[in-house]
């Protein structure tokens, strides 16, 4: 009996140990290896990213692993220039399929920014600000501008503001027209508008209440700059190792930014004329995009129109009419 009891107790102990090991999420022996901290990577895009003369009505982007299915992926996707109808976005295996429902504009560079919507299935590693870019013309526009959006109420960064560019110079534009280019400010209020064509633009920032990129609600915050903004880029020469020396050439001072040449769009790499090519053939250009310190403060405009915002009938013989602002009399 004693031997049988010892056998039973031994078997129960082993079973409890195995059960505890399986149930304990911190068990090192069953982790299956180190934690995956690598975000998804793009394996293939059809048509290819950075395509020109784009004519397709849909895009297939395939990743190296399965993705977390974001319920509001279509809402997080920011497309610039803005389309009349938001495209349909669906998951298909390890791929995302974007189907365009609006006709694409000719000779225009489009940017699809997925923000933080792309993440792997198991660990949720985010592929931050993944962008798919294409042009319906024979070249890609490459100018950029950036800055910050602040709320005038507390002078704090404003997250989720739509930063909008228009080619016309009218203060009434956000009331009636959707923008040509669009970006959304992040948690620090910062925004970046990329792949812009040359020209001058009117810029607005809008805390959009109904995601239609129109200033059409009384409580929406809006801000703008009085003057037009013109994106550009300066070519900066990087001084590398000289051909006849093992040391870097000495220079007294860097050239002034204002004296650097300004261009509307990036030239092709093979057409760049590099300074001092014979003495320093290893010299390569870098680019400084501007403006990059724009600051837009938003405010809530006092409604100019008087209208009934809601009604109530608390009693059979009483009706309450609630207006959007106090009545004059």
């Amino acid at each position: 009996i004693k031997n049988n009891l010892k056998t039973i107790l031994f078997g129960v102990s082993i079973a409890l140990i195995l059960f505890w090991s399986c149930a304990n999420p911190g068990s090192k022996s069953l982790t299956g290896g180190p934690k995956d901290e690598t975000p998804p990577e793009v394996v293939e895009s059809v048509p290819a990213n950075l395509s020109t003369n784009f004519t397709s009505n849909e895009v297939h982007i395939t990743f190296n692993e399965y993705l977390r299915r974001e319920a509001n992926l279509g809402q997080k996707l920011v497309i610039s220039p803005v389309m009349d109808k938001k495209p349909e976005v669906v998951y298909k295996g390890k791929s995302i399929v974007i189907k365009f429902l609006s006709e694409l504009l000719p000779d225009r560079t489009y940017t699809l920014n997925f923000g933080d919507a792309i993440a792997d299935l198991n660990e949720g590693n985010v592929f931050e600000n993944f962008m798919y870019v294409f042009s319906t013309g024979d070249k890609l526009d490459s100018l950029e501008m950036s800055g910050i959006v602040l709320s005038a109420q507390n002078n704090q960064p404003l997250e989720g503001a739509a930063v909008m560019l228009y080619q016309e110079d009218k203060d009434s534009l956000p009331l009636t027209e959707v923008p040509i280019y669009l970006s959304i400010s992040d948690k620090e209020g910062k925004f970046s508008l990329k792949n812009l064509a040359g020209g001058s633009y009117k810029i607005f920032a809008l805390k959009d209440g109904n995601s239609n990129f129109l200033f059409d609600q009384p409580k929406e915050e809006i801000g703008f700059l009085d003057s037009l903004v013109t994106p550009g880029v300066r070519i900066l020469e990087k001084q590398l190792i000289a051909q006849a020396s093992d040391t870097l050439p000495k220079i007294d001072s860097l050239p002034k930014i204002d004296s650097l040449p300004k261009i509307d769009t990036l030239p092709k790499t093979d057409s760049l004329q590099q300074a001092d090519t014979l003495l320093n053939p290893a010299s390569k250009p870098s680019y400084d995009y501007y403006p990059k310190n724009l600051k837009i403060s938003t405010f809530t405009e006092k409604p100019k129109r008087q209208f009934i915002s809601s009604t109530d009938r608390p009693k059979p013989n009483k009706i309450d009419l609630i207006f959007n602002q106090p009545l004059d009399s």
Side-chain angles (χ1 to χ4, degrees), residues 98-247:
I98 303 103
K99 299 180 180 179
F100 301 121
L101 305 179
S102 298
E103 186 174 351
L104 300 177
L105 299 174
D107 296 319
R108 192 63 61 89
T109 298
Y110 283 84
T111 301
L112 281 62
N113 191 329
F114 289 84
D116 63 353
I118 305 297
D120 61 36
L121 178 62
N122 294 325
E123 301 295 341
N125 298 308
V126 178
F127 189 175
E128 289 282 358
N129 295 318
F130 166 62
M131 290 190 296
Y132 179 87
V133 181
F134 66 88
S135 173
T136 54
D138 57 5
K139 66 180 179 66
L140 291 167
D141 295 321
S142 56
L143 297 179
E144 302 178 12
M145 66 173 71
S146 57
I148 188 171
V149 182
L150 302 174
S151 176
Q153 297 180 0
N154 52 20
N155 203 36
Q156 294 298 310
L158 186 61
E159 180 184 3
V163 182
M164 310 180 296
L165 293 185
Y166 299 83
Q167 289 181 318
E168 297 181 69
D169 184 13
K170 295 188 298 184
D171 292 341
S172 61
L173 286 169
L175 297 171
T176 58
E177 299 181 30
V178 295
I180 299 296
Y181 295 105
L182 172 70
S183 178
I184 304 296
S185 61
D186 62 16
K187 294 179 181 179
E188 298 178 341
K190 296 179 181 180
F191 68 89
S192 179
L193 291 150
K194 297 185 177 183
N195 301 108
L196 306 177
S200 297
Y201 300 92
K202 186 76 173 178
I203 186 169
F204 290 85
L206 174 67
K207 186 62 175 178
D208 197 4
N210 53 1
S211 301
N212 65 351
F213 307 119
L214 292 173
F215 181 45
D216 57 358
Q217 293 191 3
K219 294 184 179 180
E220 291 180 334
E221 292 186 49
I222 193 169
F224 58 92
L225 297 182
D226 293 330
S227 58
L228 298 177
V229 289
T230 304
V233 60
R234 301 178 179 94
I235 298 179
L236 304 176
E237 290 292 338
K238 287 184 178 179
Q239 294 294 335
L240 301 179
I241 299 176
Q243 184 179 23
S245 174
D246 294 332
T247 60

